[in-house]
Amino acid sequence: MGATGLALRRLAASLLVLLLVSAVVYWGTAVLPGDALTAVLPMDVLQTISPEELARKRAELGIDRPHLVQFAEFLGRIAQLDFGRTTVTREAVLERIDHPLRNSLILAGLTAIAAPLAAIALAVASVLRPRGRLDATLTGGTLFAYSLPEFVTGNLLIILFAVLLPVAPAVIMLPTTAPSLDILGVIALPIATLILGGIAYQYRLLRAALIEALDSDYCERARLSGASEWRVVVRHALPAALVPMLSATAQFVSSLISGGIVIEFIFGFPGIGQELVQAISTRDIPSVQAIALFGASAVVLCNFAADLMILALDPRVRRRSHA
Amino acid sequence: MTLLRVEGLVVAYRDPAGGERRAVDGVSFTLARGGALGIVGESGCGKSTLARALLAHGRPGSRFTAGQVLLDGTDILAATPAERTRLRGRRVALVPQNPLQALTPHLTIGAQLQEVLARHRGLRGTALRTAMLDLLAAMQIADPATLAARYPHEASGGQRQRVVIAAAVAGEPDLLVLDEPTTALDKSTEAQVLALVQAQQARTGCALVYVSHDLRTIAATCQEILVMHGGRVVERGTADEVLTSPREPYTRNLVGALPQLAPRPARQAPPLPLLEAQGLGFAYTRPRALPFLPRRPGPAALDAIGFTLAPGRTLGVVGESGSGKSTLGGLVCGLLAGHAGALRFDNAALGGAARHRPLALRRRVQMIFQDPAASLNPRHRVLDLVARAFTAYHALPAATARTRAEALLAGIGIGAELLRRMPGELSGGQQQRVAIARAFAAEPELVVCDEITSALDVTIQAQVLDVMRNMQRDRGVAYLFISHDLAVVSEMADDILVLHHGRIRALGPAAEVLGAPADAYTRALVAAFSSRRAAAPTPVPIPA
Amino acid sequence: MPNAATAPLASATAHRPSRLLRALRRPTTGIATLAVVLHLLMAATAPLWVPHDTSAMLDSPLAPPGAEFWFGTDLLGRDYFSRIVSGGQVALLVAALGVAGALAIGTLIGLACGYLRGAADEAVGRLVDALMAIPEFLLISILVLAFGKSLPALAAVVALVYVAGVVRVVRARTIALAAQDFVRAAELRGEPRLATLLRELLPNLLPLLAVEAPVRISAAVLRISALSFLGLGISPPTPDWGLMVQEAMTVILTDPWLLLFPAAMLSSFVVAVNFAVDGFAAAYGLRGEAGA
Amino acid sequence: MSILRVSRRRAMELAAAGFSTFSITDAAFAQAPMPKRGGKVVYGQTYPNWALGESNRGQHAFYWIDLLTRSMWNCLTWVDEDLRVHPEIATAWESDEAVKTWEFIIREGVTFHNGRPMTIDDVVASCAFHAGIPGFVARQVASVEKAGPNKVRFHLKAPNAEFPYTMADYRNVMMPAAAPDQIGFDGIGTGPFKLVDVDNKRLARMVRNENYWMPGRPYLDELHGVLATGQAAINGFRSGQFNAVFNIDPGQVAQYKAAGGEVHVSAAGDQFLLVLPKNLDQAWNDVRVRQALALAIDRKAINRIVYGERDGWTGNDTHIPGNDPVFVPRLVERDVARARALLAEAGHPNGIELPVIYFTTSFPEEPRIYPIVTESLRAAGITLRFEERPADGFNQYRLAVNAPVGRPSRSLVGPRNPAISLQRMTAANPSEAGGWTGSASAQYDAMYVEAIGTKDDAKRAEIYRAMQRLLHREVPAIMLGGRRNMAAFKTDVHGLKAHPQNWSSRFEDIWVG
């Protein structure tokens, strides 16, 4: 069916996924105790405000209407890509989350490039000397890095590269709306932490696939036609071996886009994660929805990109109709 | 002048249990420049390991513990890795077994050929490309440019085999080692490929080493033959000596097991047919892009098929891959549904998926599959597999089902000590016997056998065919015996049906079809399978 | 020609137990398995032999490791050895319960989708994609705020996090299995679909689940420590390595040993489980796609 | 002893409250060696302004990145480290005999950051705005009016002898006059520093206000405030990005000193208040159980383990901070036997299980306090667990049930003057008194009304002490005192002090060199 068939099917599927996401996110947030109004009124106001006044304010904001009506109205808005305004302060949601989203996409984007490259480098190195000491140390090393919680590796990296050696900033002191170049300047340690945590799984998958590929008949034919081991690994084994790793990479990167909250807390990175925490704490459903939908579409795009790369790497899927 | 001398070669594998298993145990032989040596043996006899040892290559976990492989006097086993890499493809080359797995799936055919040419002929740019296209042309590829741009999975079996040979001969090696060159091919393409290899030898004067389990093909192409068993050479001689007057008991058993292209003695056919087909047709539906689009039918897999099969008799169905023979089997036993035309069993319409057929009908029609390992659930014990059939078809209580199953298995050669084993722990032959027992547990009247021996070695194949003949003799069951191997079919079939691209090319009693078939395609097929004894079968190209 | 049909043939490959011994003989697997067993034993029996009460404040805070308190005392003056030794209990229990739930539900859904295919499979597939696409912090916040942080609630959180992954893995393996002939044979026997699922397909998934379970449990223990960092996981004063590591970070440069012990326990468990599983998977020829 | 006694550490001429007028002169801030002008302070703040969620338009003082609004704004009055009120924008104030009408004289020559001189109309507009929205000011002020070219008059709803303290609160800043829904969002104040750039959930950058009304101040050229939660504070300090940190984790004092810093400890700080809802059918509705609870908690252990100080002040279950002259310490510090006896008397001979108290971490050391409370209560057979809820909307989680009192939870209490502090235990403030009702509560409310109506300080102090003794007997809520604000700063930073009222920290005196 090739790329176009896949694109069509994937597009239809992703619309359904986004619909499901917004439904689950809506009812999930609606279930939480309290609502946008009580979340925003300061403590001393909450004590003195009368129930009637509270009810009047809720009606004013329209958050007292039945959930089904509110959800339908929300879907109507989303259809025209209008992400609406925050419930109480009436700010445009997009204006509020655009920069944090951009920052998180930069972080996720660079990690999406760096992590697989690191995994490929490590896996190829360990496979070129099978059963050797390097293979064992790499496997053990990546597992150890994965086994340490992110806030440990993050803080240890800060102490090493910011406190002891003045290479990177210990605290990212940029405003959320800082220009992208500044964000790039401070992104090294967060990415290193993410890669240390996420590399083990991708490395293991790639290494296993490489070993399996090197045992295949076509690698043996390449070897027996005089190709050097390096060439057999890189040109013949690697492309096919990347396929299982790619879906893991896509999953790893998509979990970063709106999930990198621990990293944002440790480094003070102005990402979308903290914005999500804020939106949940103020029960601001439009913001939560917007962040969830952007996150979900980024995830869907990530998986789609991975599928396209798999298509590029494995022609058997791409051009099946000729056989 | 000797090109290759192998002296007392031993290749040992580290056994998982810690011991050492010798795959090649002291093999010695010589091969003159431009000679052709055949090495024959069943799976596990060490022939593939020996073939790779000729390129100083051992699979992971194996070591050359003794002996030498002298190529033009120098021992390539002692060569440094760099020297080994240089000689592979230039001095000695290997044509691997099944071409689809042996070609890198994500590189075009042209790219893979150019890689070898660039390394051994130092060509680059357009010179490299033209050399590649000439090489493909030399392999009788009709349109080299189109094939070069294609990926391996987009080429036919014959084309892939030719590409693999092209890759091997690209470096103009002095010694060409062929590992099971024709196993994956239909008879029609096999002859062409063998002709190509001999043309290459004639042009470059290189020596050939054929390694195969198929004694008939080796006998057709090599002057001298080595028969291997358990890592040792058990017999050595010319093709005629080995085929007509084998000295060793193992070789005698091997030659005896070769299916002979001779019709079974004619038997009186009972009047009432058990299974009939008139104008039977079938087409698979094309895969859909989106789940909601209408399903469109694909090309016809079977067209206007008519035949009858009486109780207790065997109808052999012969055809190459893609001829539709498996589709026919699937329709009869209910794996496939939605055929055109009439299909009747015991004078009643037979159709629909097995799930929707009444229990009685499901019991009376059974099927045995090609790959024994895949047809038995790996997590069920042997006894339970067969007992399950008794409980499913005869609603017997578990205990009686087990005793009936034990008796049936014993009768078919599966001893008590194997009953509690998982299928994974049995040999191929044993697994197929269990599958046969499971089929007969239902006490069927018709058994559809789809390539039931193609995955087995020749000696095991002979045993399984004996089992099937005995079961038919004892229980009077009818067989729809499907295979690509005309010789195997001729050993079983009362009548033979030859299928090609979904259409019948010949149908009639075995003697008639094998004797003087009217249809050209059938005539060529019969010639290709004719026995060694009659005359050295020259490779006869079969019209497409 | 001897009548080959009836000649009894007896040849069988090695029996099952020796594969277990062979796996254990490999050094990495042996040591790793030992470490895992020790961890489990420690978690199960800690309350019986722990020298001090894990929440009693016995001495001044941050006393260095010494004679009386082998691992010293933590920021609140509690015996650090007792807390380290019982630090795995809650996290392991929650992880095990959660992953068990994820495997049970995930396998059923994966089996059904993989074998039955059709519209249901498509729909469930999309639901799984949606579940994986929702920011995890949001899902877990909703669960914790709605159901609290009791043991079953946290186990439900872990189950939710892993069920989608299990469905994907099981569905892929089921699709491959369903193409095998022994499933065709079962269909020809007219076995009901449920029987085919449970008797033919499920047993073949058990090795996959055996590989998936321990690796995902070790991943879950890590995930719980991350949740505790965000205030969504285990609440103090319950001894938990995740919380201890988090507390230890505040005094990392003055009292590094406070971080050393819990981090060592956490990573030794995770590394040991992964190495042990790799060893057994190799010996039994299994291949799991389990992972973080 | 009058609440306005002369402070030993500060040479400052003082007059009794009421009619005298005085102005802040250099004397008020006489310092050690000659401070140098210039330089920059980048401070980390571990305690962000919890109102951040409402708006991120940033500049408004209500949503300022932390509560240290005195960096950019001024209020009419200011409360010093010993919790005594001083003039700031108002140079003097006087009230009528019934302390129900107050007049403040406004300082001359004050200009806003945008260069526009501050007029009486700006002051009146600001004060009217503060009195217009629900909160402390609105609860006390009926109306605000101009009373002359430089005088503003307040009409209170009820007499309040300590009204000047109310106008010192961090929210009651002076802003350029504007419509109520716009005032303050332009980020223009009268304070020592002008705003340059703000991302109000992360950081703010300010520069010296050249024409600040206090002569010669501020010394610094630049002031940056950065929110630094978790390890960011100590890491930022060690790496040199911060040269000061407010509200450090008391457990990390040694590490700040090891990183070349000095630590200034304030005399008092916020208190953790355990709200015991009595309107729910709970065991602590019985006063004896509450008394047992108060007696069994080892408050000395909290000071020793968490704040590293043997004899720090411990709470007396009232909102009054330890360094307030009116503070009446509890009669008995801890008596487990008495606690057990009380429980037995109340019908719980073999101990009692109390409902879980929910909290969300605000000050860094908070998660280490509650295990000590739980552990010390265990000795008296009382089981009381604390469970953290994520920073997510803790308020609505707390008030989702049983509003306005909410679930059993902890609340934060800032150190303020007795008039504000003791008002928080009256029936008008159910959420912190836990819905305390009954005769004792009524008596307490009456005493409060009498106290704030008494102009004479000594007599008022007497009533405050009686009210505290009543609270000791009734224990409507538990106050875990002992907290102290601690600020760390590099050795070359001078004049930076931690203030018991976090929000009253001043920046005019800080200099680098």
Side-chain angles (χ1 to χ4, degrees), chain A residues 32-35 38-49 53 88-89 91 95-96 154-155 158-159 162-163 166 168-177 264-271 274-275 277-278 280-283, chain D residues 42 50-57 133-136 139 171 197-199 201-203 224 226-229 231-236 238-239 241-242 391-400 404 407 411-412 428-432:
Chain A
L32 292 182
D35 64 20
T38 52
V40 154
L41 296 178
M43 196 126 62
D44 42 21
V45 168
L46 273 177
Q47 289 147 20
T48 54
I49 202 162
E53 202 180 338
V88 177
T89 50
E91 288 167 79
E95 274 161 31
R96 174 179 172 143
N155 275 306
I158 289 177
I159 288 164
V163 175
V171 179
I172 294 179
M173 293 204 326
L174 296 174
T176 315
T177 54
E264 290 177 19
F265 273 170
I266 302 169
F267 291 96
F269 181 78
Q274 284 169 334
E275 208 57 41
V277 170
Q278 194 69 52
I280 296 174
S281 70
T282 55
R283 295 297 183 277
Chain D
V42 180
W50 56 265
L52 284 183
E54 285 84 70
S55 144
N56 56 11
R57 294 212 298 274
I133 52 170
F136 286 148
R139 217 178 280 143
R171 297 169 78 98
D197 173 24
V198 67
D199 174 345
K201 285 196 282 300
R202 298 177 52 76
L203 47 88
H224 291 188
V226 179
L227 293 188
T229 51
Q231 282 298 95
I234 180 72
N235 287 342
R238 282 197 195 109
S239 72
Q241 279 176 289
F242 302 146
D392 139 80
F394 176 69
N395 273 338
Q396 54 275 12
Y397 176 78
R398 192 167 62 81
L399 290 170
R407 302 171 194 267
S411 171
L412 272 185
N429 180 24
S431 91
E432 289 184 23

Side-chain angles (χ1 to χ4, degrees), chain D residues 314-338:
Chain D
T314 58
N316 67 355
D317 294 340
T318 78
H319 289 65
I320 306 288
N323 67 340
D324 191 309
V326 163
F327 182 81
V328 173
R330 289 169 46 252
L331 300 177
V332 177
E333 187 52 55
R334 183 173 191 239
D335 183 347
V336 175
R338 181 84 183 93

Side-chain angles (χ1 to χ4, degrees), chain B residues 90 114-125 127-128:
Chain B
R90 183 188 310 282
Q114 284 181 209
E115 181 186 35
V116 184
L117 282 170
R119 182 173 313 117
H120 293 304
R121 299 242 195 97
L123 301 169
R124 252 192 317 284
L128 180 62

Side-chain angles (χ1 to χ4, degrees), chain B residues 301-487:
Chain B
L302 284 179
D303 186 10
I305 301 295
F307 63 84
T308 60
L309 171 58
R313 288 175 63 83
T314 300
L315 171 63
V317 179
V318 180
E320 293 170 343
S321 59
S323 60
K325 57 185 186 305
S326 292
T327 311
L328 178 59
L331 283 176
V332 170
C333 69
L335 278 183
L336 297 173
H339 62 274
L343 187 61
R344 301 180 63 75
F345 177 79
D346 191 14
N347 220 346
L350 176 68
R355 237 193 353 270
H356 306 312
R357 293 182 180 180
L359 176 68
L361 183 56
R362 284 206 307 275
R363 183 189 62 73
R364 296 164 70 188
V365 179
Q366 290 298 310
M367 180 159 187
I368 304 175
F369 299 88
Q370 171 179 354
D371 177 3
S375 69
L376 302 174
N377 189 320
R379 309 294 300 177
H380 290 179
R381 296 188 186 287
V382 166
L383 185 61
D384 302 337
L385 283 166
V386 181
R388 181 66 204 145
F390 279 105
T391 45
Y393 289 114
H394 309 296
L396 294 176
T400 6
R402 261 201 296 281
T403 40
R404 290 283 299 277
E406 197 166 339
L408 180 58
L409 281 164
I412 209 166
I414 298 294
E417 74 290 353
L418 295 180
L419 298 182
R420 298 204 47 72
R421 289 273 164 65
M422 298 289 188
E425 300 170 58
L426 272 61
S427 71
Q430 289 167 326
Q431 285 168 349
Q432 198 63 305
R433 285 164 188 264
V434 171
I436 292 166
R438 179 172 64 184
F440 281 98
E443 282 149 14
E445 291 163 41
L446 166 65
V447 177
V448 177
C449 313
D450 187 354
E451 299 266 18
I452 61 172
T453 58
S454 348
L456 304 175
D457 277 322
V458 171
T459 45
I460 308 288
Q461 172 175 277
Q463 290 165 14
V464 167
L465 293 182
D466 276 343
V467 165
M468 293 301 284
R469 273 192 290 269
N470 298 340
M471 297 299 264
Q472 186 171 52
R473 181 195 63 218
D474 302 344
R475 295 164 179 252
V477 72
Y479 289 153
L480 188 67
F481 196 87
I482 301 169
S483 174
H484 70 283
D485 187 332
L486 190 56

